[in-house]
Amino acid sequence: MRSSPVPKNFPAVLVIGLVLLGVCVIASLALGSRLVRFHELIDGLFHHQADSYGASVVRKRISRTVFSLFCGAALGVSGSLMQSVTRNPIADPSILGVNTGASLFVVCGIAFLHIGTANQYIGLALAGAAITAVFVYGIGSMGRGGATPFKLVLAGAATSAALSSLVTAIMIPRSSVMDQFRFWQVGSVGSATWSAVAAFVPFLIAGMLIAFMTAPALNAMALGDEVATGQGVRTGTLRLVAALGGVLLCGVTTALAGPIGFVGLLATHVIRLILGPDLRFVIPMSAISGAVILTVSDVCGRLIGSPGELEVGVVTAFIGAPILILLAMRSKMRSL
Amino acid sequence: MGSHVFQAEQVVAGYDRQTVIDGVSLVVPVNRISVMIGANGCGKSTLLKALARLIKPESGSISLDGKPVGKIPPKQLARVLGLLPQSPIVPEGITVADLVGRGRFPHQSWHAGWTSKDAEAVAEAMRIMNIAELADRHIDELSGGQRQRVWIAMALAQQTDILFLDEPTTFLDITYQIEILDLLTDLNRKYGTTIVMVLHDINLSARYADHIFALREGKLMAEGKPSEVITDLLVKDIFGLDCAVIKDPVSGSPLVVPKGRYHAGSASR
Ligand SMILES: Nc1ncnc2c1ncn2[C@@H]1O[C@H](COP(=O)(O)OP(=O)(O)OP(=O)(O)O)[C@@H](O)[C@H]1O
Ligand SMILES: [Mg+2]
């Protein structure tokens, strides 16, 4: 008989997660088109006066690493929230089209309003993400049976395709915009600056707070709206708040790094497979797994693309797409 | 043992396009087992949902101890009034102990973790429902009867004085139906839990209910003790079925014997 509902393997999973996170951080600092030696790594991290080339490379990679950890954590938690809100195991910002909505607004901002500061990017991306989320959810809930997983994914894919073509249509005639935008659009953490990291922090904290505070009620909602209402959850309010958290986290990541797909999906899935469905544990661990997945993908992109680099958005799409297909097939079979 | 007065007055309720419940007034008998009976589609589930605030009545009032339920904070209400809907969702990979533990939600706050009180309530609920040895099993691996006991245990872990159940015995074979109904009766006798449920089997309703609510087309047609309410006239009126009502040789409660077109009269031949 268990005395508390903490999953038995949670301590072990937490420790493994943190160790992996540490390994990722070291890898992200040391690996890339220029490999750094151990003493250079130490110099770069701890000896500010050291001015070897290696040490300065390491210092440049610190902000990039922090940024990719934040983005990964935000995407992981955003995925968990969206999966709970839509009660859909394959929900992810990129699959629901929320990323693309954020992209469209940012492109419009670049093309028509000549935006350039991080806060302008964030504002527009959040607006685009929120509007798209509402739109896709609205379309997905039309007809019989409400917002079923299948209809949501279909609505998300269709919306995403339509918005992508709009993005292209706006970009193509404007070659000056192209350059600014092309890099952003693939999804990359390479250009991260400390000011981008600083702009990220308040949104990350707000989104995480929402996620942690709604987790117990989301657990209740996982048993169906009727059970949740019977347990005293205001399901309408909860959906709205949790969706807001998800959109906030994904929107701000998209604003600063560009659209990065599948991280939320993968991060949450791996954790749910290992820990079970209790969101009070799934959400914090998804932050860790998301950070690990994104940082590993970034390091892989640097190694594969060397001497240049492959943007992290490309890497996650390559890993994520086949896994999505697998999961979709599995969930379809379950529902049959 | 709580003794909350739960009552509905002139409740009209339904869904977007149709009104289903048409002016029902009732007082739930305290510390008793009440059963709602009526034909398919007559509005039993809808009435139960309206009482349990899953759907908002179009008019009329529902009150707990004289206070409109809409004015009671939802979590506070959930500590008095529990509910097991007809088709809850099973999250993938959840274990029995986890699921039962989720019944504790209304008693927890986001800052205080799992307390020994929560653990006791869960252990107690699993013991009452005879599922303690299943604690670490996954729900997907259980039989229908075991699964239903787990859901009821979750509702019990909520430790409410009033419990609403919509068809807790559907899809179960007769042995499990009796087992579940016996367990619910235990609960009522030992803890005085007020139970309101929908059952499809009129004979089991007659046996296990202290009080019957008989519905037809969204209206409450009759209520009272089974021995007084369940008559051939009422069954004809509610279900449109010709029948004979005899005395159940085991429990002494009314036993409905349907006539049908083919077999009536063969006993006398
Ligand atoms: N979610 C819903 N939306 C719209 N109409 C509904 C909904 N649920 C039930 N109804 C309709 O309301 C009426 C009453 O249904 P209800 O489920 O309350 O009947 P019931 O007495 O519980 O029937 P059963 O014995 O089959 O469970 C039916 O005509 C049904 O079609
Ligand atoms: Mg029903």
Side-chain angles (χ1 to χ4, degrees):
Chain A
M1 188 65 232
R2 268 193 289 195
S3 58
S4 101
V6 179
K8 283 193 189 84
N9 51 1
F10 181 69
V13 174
L14 183 63
V15 169
I16 294 172
L18 291 174
V19 169
L20 283 178
L21 202 62
V23 172
C24 284
V25 168
I26 294 171
S28 174
L29 293 173
L31 304 180
S33 52
R34 185 185 188 290
L35 292 182
V36 171
R37 287 170 200 290
F38 183 70
H39 69 88
E40 291 174 321
L41 185 64
I42 298 298
D43 279 351
L45 280 177
F46 303 112
H47 303 140
H48 294 287
Q49 60 280 33
D51 55 358
S52 69
Y53 178 59
S56 73
V57 167
V58 168
R59 266 181 228 129
K60 281 226 179 71
R61 286 180 189 159
I62 296 176
S63 59
R64 174 183 199 148
T65 304
V66 172
F67 187 65
S68 93
L69 294 176
F70 281 8
C71 288
L75 289 172
V77 172
S78 174
S80 301
L81 286 174
M82 290 189 183
Q83 288 175 20
S84 305
V85 169
T86 58
R87 211 180 280 125
N88 179 343
I90 53 180
D92 173 276
S94 59
I95 294 160
L96 294 180
V98 176
N99 270 340
T100 326
S103 300
L104 177 65
F105 271 53
V106 170
V107 176
C108 289
I110 296 172
F112 304 123
L113 308 171
H114 309 290
I115 62 164
T117 72
N119 282 328
Q120 288 169 330
Y121 271 77
I122 292 175
L124 280 174
L126 286 181
I131 291 171
T132 316
V134 171
F135 183 75
V136 168
Y137 195 78
I139 295 195
S141 4
M142 287 195 314
R144 295 171 59 82
T148 63
F150 183 67
K151 284 198 285 177
L152 277 175
V153 170
L154 219 57
T159 308
S160 199
L163 298 184
S164 301
S165 59
L166 263 182
V167 166
T168 313
I170 292 172
M171 236 172 36
I172 283 180
R174 297 177 179 75
S175 54
S176 61
V177 177
M178 276 280 262
D179 285 337
Q180 184 182 357
F181 181 72
R182 206 174 42 204
F183 187 65
W184 179 84
Q185 199 218 359
V186 192
S188 157
V189 292
S191 60
T193 57
W194 283 113
S195 71
V197 172
F200 203 126
V201 169
F203 294 95
L204 186 67
I205 292 175
M208 293 288 177
L209 272 181
I210 288 178
F212 290 139
M213 290 180 59
T214 53
L218 287 172
N219 267 344
M221 207 163 69
L223 310 176
D225 282 14
E226 297 194 336
V227 173
T229 310
Q231 294 189 346
V233 174
R234 295 180 206 264
T235 50
T237 315
L238 175 65
R239 273 220 170 76
L240 199 71
V241 173
L244 183 79
V247 166
L248 204 65
L249 288 170
C250 140
V252 75
T253 308
T254 307
L256 296 173
I260 299 174
F262 301 106
V263 174
L265 177 80
L266 292 179
T268 308
H269 252 282
V270 172
I271 295 304
R272 264 215 303 254
L273 271 182
I274 303 173
L275 279 185
D278 191 335
L279 289 161
R280 291 169 307 160
F281 304 100
V282 168
I283 286 177
M285 281 310 300
S286 298
I288 295 179
S289 63
V292 168
I293 291 172
L294 192 69
T295 310
V296 167
S297 302
D298 181 41
V299 173
C300 288
R302 283 186 242 161
L303 293 180
I304 296 167
S306 176
E309 54 183 62
L310 199 60
E311 281 87 355
V312 69
V314 177
V315 180
T316 61
F318 255 96
I319 307 171
I323 294 179
L324 169 68
I325 293 169
L326 257 167
L327 291 174
M329 279 164 52
R330 208 168 69 102
S331 74
K332 189 155 167 234
M333 296 210 296
R334 267 177 62 87
S335 69
L336 280 178
Chain B
M1 184 184 296
S3 51
H4 296 280
V5 181
F6 188 88
Q7 67 181 67
E9 259 170 81
Q10 286 304 319
V11 168
V12 176
Y15 308 93
D16 296 338
R17 264 172 248 150
Q18 90 199 98
T19 298
V20 177
I21 297 302
D22 186 12
V24 168
S25 300
L26 57 81
V27 179
V28 172
V30 179
N31 308 133
R32 293 281 179 279
I33 297 178
S34 307
V35 174
M36 287 185 196
I37 59 170
N40 289 131
C42 74
K44 304 177 296 290
S45 297
T46 307
L47 178 58
L48 205 69
K49 283 187 210 168
L51 295 178
R53 65 170 171 339
L54 299 188
I55 57 178
K56 219 179 150 179
E58 288 158 30
S59 67
S61 72
I62 296 167
S63 62
L64 177 69
D65 301 329
K67 207 171 171 189
V69 289
K71 296 243 164 70
I72 305 172
K75 249 181 151 173
Q76 191 183 322
L77 187 61
R79 292 195 283 268
V80 178
L81 187 75
L83 158 82
L84 186 60
Q86 209 164 352
S87 42
I89 297 171
V90 183
E92 201 178 339
I94 196 167
T95 63
V96 169
D98 277 353
L99 188 60
V100 177
R102 296 213 178 166
R104 296 303 294 165
F105 176 79
H107 297 271
Q108 295 171 319
S109 54
W110 64 272
H111 50 86
W114 188 254
T115 65
S116 58
K117 235 176 136 186
D118 294 323
E120 278 162 27
V122 169
E124 172 90 345
M126 301 221 288
R127 200 181 47 67
I128 295 173
M129 281 294 132
N130 260 327
I131 50 168
E133 68 282 6
L134 301 178
D136 292 323
R137 295 273 293 276
H138 287 242
I139 306 289
D140 329 328
E141 307 165 350
L142 301 183
S143 76
Q146 292 172 324
R147 206 180 278 205
Q148 195 59 23
R149 291 197 324 240
V150 173
W151 282 115
I152 296 175
M154 184 193 77
L156 295 191
Q158 203 170 327
Q159 292 189 321
T160 57
D161 287 329
I162 305 173
L163 189 56
F164 286 160
L165 305 134
D166 196 351
E167 301 196 19
T169 58
T170 337
F171 305 126
L172 302 185
D173 63 33
I174 184 77
T175 319
Y176 280 127
Q177 292 186 30
I178 298 294
E179 182 178 6
I180 297 272
L181 291 171
D182 278 344
L183 288 168
L184 289 170
T185 309
D186 287 344
L187 186 73
N188 167 264
R189 301 284 186 268
K190 269 194 217 146
Y191 303 87
T193 306
T194 301
I195 294 175
V196 181
M197 59 184 161
V198 176
L199 291 181
H200 259 125
D201 187 313
I202 189 167
N203 289 323
L204 291 181
S205 306
R207 182 185 284 198
Y208 283 92
D210 299 311
H211 193 92
I212 294 277
F213 292 112
L215 275 81
R216 193 188 71 195
E217 290 167 7
K219 287 197 164 70
L220 187 59
M221 303 305 286
E223 64 169 310
K225 277 190 206 153
S227 58
E228 291 163 7
V229 175
I230 297 184
T231 61
D232 49 354
L233 282 177
L234 178 103
V235 175
K236 176 76 182 166
D237 189 29
I238 298 286
F239 293 97
L241 176 77
D242 288 313
C243 71
V245 175
I246 58 172
K247 198 168 163 177
D248 182 332
V250 174
S251 64
S253 54
L255 184 70
V256 172
V257 184
K259 284 184 177 158
R261 284 193 291 117
Y262 284 104
H263 308 282
S266 31
S268 59
R269 260 209 307 266

